[in-house]
Amino acid sequence: QVQLVESGGGLVQAGGSLRLSCAASKRIFSNNGMGWFRQAPGKEREFVAAISWRGENINYADAVKGRFTISRDNAKNLVFLQMNSLIPEDTALYYCAAALKSAASVVASQYRYWGQGTQVTVSS
């Protein structure tokens, strides 16, 4: 069964932190790069962060560099997004995605499987 389930979203004040988690089925997690994307109301989905299968390559969007950290636990089929120093502009629906290759791709079209998303709202 192909499954990606995000959790950890919520409402937080500006300057606060949240940790998103994504649980993936082994079939789509193993050997594949994983990414986080987000979509704010009225805007297109945008890349946030990506990590390669073995974690040796990581990419971040400029908007989140220095504030967000992506990581993965390959033994548990989990990927995380630690978000610190949150700002209202980070408010969006955050999606976890699994690619069909091991690289940390920044392009949405490289990702085959997507979760349903978890809402992050940052108040000013």
Side-chain angles (χ1 to χ4, degrees), residues 34-36 47-52 55-62 64-65 68-70 81 103-107 111:
M34 297 293 294
W36 288 94
F47 167 75
V48 176
I51 185 169
S52 59
E56 76 276 21
N57 291 310
I58 290 176
N59 291 310
Y60 295 101
D62 288 344
V64 307
K65 277 181 183 177
F68 290 12
T69 302
I70 189 172
L81 185 67
S105 178
V106 305
V107 179
Y111 290 84

Side-chain angles (χ1 to χ4, degrees), residues 28-122:
I28 63 173
F29 188 87
S30 296
N31 300 309
N32 290 328
M34 297 293 294
W36 288 94
F37 290 77
R38 67 187 182 185
Q39 187 167 17
K43 295 187 177 181
E44 294 186 354
R45 188 174 300 187
E46 65 176 3
F47 167 75
V48 176
I51 185 169
S52 59
W53 161 239
R54 299 194 184 279
E56 76 276 21
N57 291 310
I58 290 176
N59 291 310
Y60 295 101
D62 288 344
V64 307
K65 277 181 183 177
R67 300 188 298 122
F68 290 12
T69 302
I70 189 172
S71 61
R72 65 190 295 163
D73 184 336
N74 288 352
K76 297 181 179 178
N77 301 331
L78 294 169
V79 63
F80 306 99
L81 185 67
Q82 177 66 43
M83 305 187 296
N84 299 328
S85 302
L86 285 161
I87 59 178
E89 290 76 14
D90 294 320
T91 295
L93 188 61
Y94 282 70
Y95 297 92
C96 173
L100 287 178
K101 58 180 182 178
S102 63
S105 178
V106 305
V107 179
S109 61
Q110 297 293 318
Y111 290 84
R112 173 73 178 275
Y113 304 103
W114 295 81
Q116 294 300 307
T118 185
Q119 179 67 39
V120 171
T121 303
V122 183

Side-chain angles (χ1 to χ4, degrees), residues 11-17 85-88 121-124:
L11 174 63
V12 64
Q13 288 189 331
S17 298
S85 302
L86 285 161
I87 59 178
T121 303
V122 183
S123 63
S124 56

